[in-house]
Amino acid sequence: MIDTLELCIEHQKASKIHIGSGVFESLDTFLKTKHYSKLVVFTDQNTTEMCLPLIDQYYSFLNNAEIIELQDGEQSKSFSALQSIIEALIEYNIDRNALFIALGGGMIHDITGFIASIYKRGVDFISIPTSLLCMIDACLGGKTGINFKHVKNQIGSFYFAKHIYIYPAFTNSLPKQVYTSAMGEVLKYGLIDNASFFHKISAQKTVDQEDILKCLNIKMAFVKADPFDTGQRKKLNFGHTIGHALETSWTGKTPLLHGYAVGIGLLCEAYISKKRTGLSETEFKQIEKGVTSLLPPIKLNFNQDNFITAIKQDKKNSHHRIQIILLERIGNAIVYDNLSLDDLIESLDYYQSIT
Ligand SMILES: NC(=O)c1ccc[n+]([C@@H]2O[C@H](COP(=O)([O-])OP(=O)(O)OC[C@H]3O[C@@H](n4cnc5c(N)ncnc54)[C@H](O)[C@@H]3O)[C@@H](O)[C@H]2O)c1
């Protein structure tokens, strides 16, 4: 059984999303109608091991594909990785009629989409998300990029995948921590757009295909309304001003996963909402309970100078004013201009107090 959704954006190539256990049948059919000069599959060592064989076992369409395997982790969203990949593409003699396939989580998607957008001025790419976070978020919406000097996604482009093939069973091999981290983004959708979805997810530990579709439908509505992130779409960034800054200034022994960083951001930004946009104490406590039940608070280890640099470089900012997304109530977000650094620091103090 396959569900399909379609993202259509004026004057842009649209993305068609296929989700279900039979999606590779659809991919096989799509490839038979095309004459790509070469398929290039981007993986990391985990998706090469856990996901590629599941496709190869039943289908032959990747038989002659080139595989470009990156080191897993956020460090691969970098200029040095970008350069090595472009060197490999030239060595394999890949032309502009090739098809790039992202087979991985958000990291693989962000860099594959970016390279697809710049290599020979643009190559088609399709998405096969393998992590829950990528299935519910990173695979959709055309944001691509790499990190630079402690700032997330500082360099990138808008470039939409032609097709997105979501095979939910890929999540079976995800490490528990990686699976759970995605719940930060799942909760975010409820907080910005749908209170009953937030309350439903707060009481669950996992999500099913219907929940994945719900997340994609919420994201799709924001992207359709504002594809290039100049207004409404910014609301998808709730939790990310602080989340992204923590992610790149993190000094803990193990990296801070994106979804956990967003989870911390949700709490801190809900705290600021209580102070600045009238979020009620009752709803704030519901958010605290819902988020911490899925993502238990952790001790913050970060470099304050790098944190402030990242906050000041956030892409939402304009005319030296810090922009952030806040909640008026659960299910209703607003774009708030001119946030003070004092509010940010106070919200981190609040978070430290509950660890
Ligand atoms: N472009 C967007 O719209 C967007 C949206 C949200 C997040 N992001 C980006 O996505 C990234 C986070 O994505 P993520 O959480 O998927 O992280 P990730 O891509 O780093 O994957 C996390 C870990 O899971 C492993 N993995 C992935 N699929 C697996 C599978 N099926 N089985 C076993 N292991 C598997 C990976 O190898 C990695 O070790 C961040 O860079 C974030 O900035 C982008």
Side-chain angles (χ1 to χ4, degrees):
M1 167 68 185
I2 306 180
D3 287 305
T4 53
L5 305 171
E6 196 153 359
L7 174 69
C8 296
I9 292 170
E10 220 177 326
H11 310 308
Q12 283 284 318
K13 285 181 194 165
S15 297
K16 195 161 185 184
I17 306 168
H18 316 255
I19 175 167
S21 54
V23 287
F24 296 123
E25 210 70 63
S26 311
L27 173 53
D28 199 20
T29 309
F30 166 72
L31 291 174
K32 281 183 181 133
T33 65
K34 295 284 171 184
H35 298 285
Y36 286 112
S37 55
K38 193 80 186 170
L39 305 187
V40 185
V41 185
F42 292 78
T43 62
D44 64 30
Q45 72 275 24
N46 297 322
T47 63
T48 305
E49 188 188 334
M50 310 287 186
C51 306
L52 203 51
L54 285 176
I55 302 177
D56 277 345
Q57 197 178 347
Y58 299 108
Y59 299 95
S60 56
F61 55 76
L62 295 182
N63 274 358
N64 297 314
E66 298 291 356
I67 310 290
I68 296 193
E69 183 184 287
L70 306 186
Q71 173 69 42
D72 80 318
E74 199 62 22
Q75 72 282 354
S76 285
K77 272 175 64 174
S78 64
F79 256 123
S80 56
L82 187 70
Q83 182 164 347
S84 317
I85 294 167
I86 291 171
E87 281 166 5
L89 291 171
I90 291 168
E91 194 186 318
Y92 295 149
N93 207 12
I94 302 300
D95 66 28
R96 66 189 299 189
N97 297 311
L99 175 71
F100 289 1
I101 302 177
L103 178 71
M107 180 282 284
I108 287 292
H109 274 67
D110 282 2
I111 193 159
T112 304
F114 185 46
I115 294 173
S117 75
I118 57 173
Y119 185 70
K120 298 194 189 281
R121 295 214 179 91
V123 171
D124 280 355
F125 97 100
I126 62 168
S127 149
I128 308 180
T130 61
S131 70
L132 178 60
L133 187 137
C134 195
M135 290 177 192
I136 56 123
D137 188 354
C139 69
L140 174 69
K143 282 191 180 178
T144 80
I146 56 171
N147 306 328
F148 188 63
K149 286 200 188 277
H150 300 292
V151 185
K152 287 271 296 181
N153 309 321
Q154 181 78 328
I155 296 158
S157 60
F158 284 98
Y159 199 69
F160 293 82
K162 256 183 133 42
H163 286 266
I164 298 166
Y165 296 93
I166 302 179
Y167 181 67
F170 275 148
T171 59
N172 294 342
S173 57
L174 280 178
K176 188 169 178 293
Q177 289 269 84
V178 175
Y179 184 95
T180 305
S181 76
M183 299 308 270
E185 296 280 12
V186 178
L187 289 167
K188 175 202 76 180
Y189 287 121
L191 288 172
I192 62 167
D193 192 63
N194 188 320
S196 58
F197 187 58
F198 170 76
H199 293 299
K200 172 183 178 290
I201 295 297
S202 299
Q204 297 178 187
K205 289 266 178 279
T206 57
V207 294
D208 58 19
Q209 186 164 318
E210 204 179 306
D211 297 323
I212 295 175
L213 270 169
K214 181 85 195 159
C215 294
L216 291 170
N217 271 311
I218 294 174
K219 178 159 185 180
M220 190 129 68
F222 281 98
V223 175
K224 266 184 186 164
D226 173 24
F228 302 109
D229 211 13
T230 56
Q232 289 301 304
R233 183 173 177 174
K234 291 181 184 175
K235 294 179 182 174
L236 290 167
N237 229 246
F238 180 58
H240 286 65
T241 303
I242 289 175
H244 275 164
L246 281 176
E247 219 180 322
T248 52
S249 60
W250 195 247
T251 52
K253 278 197 205 98
T254 49
L256 179 64
L257 294 174
H258 177 74
Y260 279 94
V262 169
I264 299 168
L266 297 180
L267 287 177
C268 293
E269 295 178 19
Y271 179 88
I272 299 170
S273 302
K274 194 167 53 128
K275 202 168 158 195
R276 297 289 167 207
T277 48
L279 178 72
S280 71
E281 181 66 23
T282 311
E283 289 208 334
F284 173 70
K285 285 290 167 199
Q286 288 171 349
I287 296 170
E288 188 179 72
K289 187 163 176 259
V291 174
T292 56
S293 70
L294 290 169
L295 304 164
I298 52 171
K299 194 170 156 7
L300 297 184
N301 292 299
F302 65 101
N303 176 305
Q304 192 154 335
D305 290 341
N306 291 341
F307 177 84
I308 301 290
T309 303
I311 291 285
K312 289 186 172 164
Q313 286 296 324
D314 188 286
K315 287 185 293 309
K316 292 186 294 307
N317 298 345
S318 168
H319 298 81
H320 307 293
R321 289 153 76 101
I322 301 172
Q323 222 178 52
I324 192 167
I325 307 307
L326 298 179
L327 298 179
E328 287 183 326
R329 50 179 197 281
I330 295 177
N332 187 24
I334 61 154
V335 181
Y336 183 85
D337 222 4
N338 216 6
L339 178 80
S340 74
L341 285 177
D342 287 348
D343 277 355
L344 278 178
I345 303 299
E346 190 183 318
S347 75
L348 290 171
D349 288 344
Y350 146 73
Y351 184 83
Q352 303 268 26
S353 76
I354 59 165
T355 57

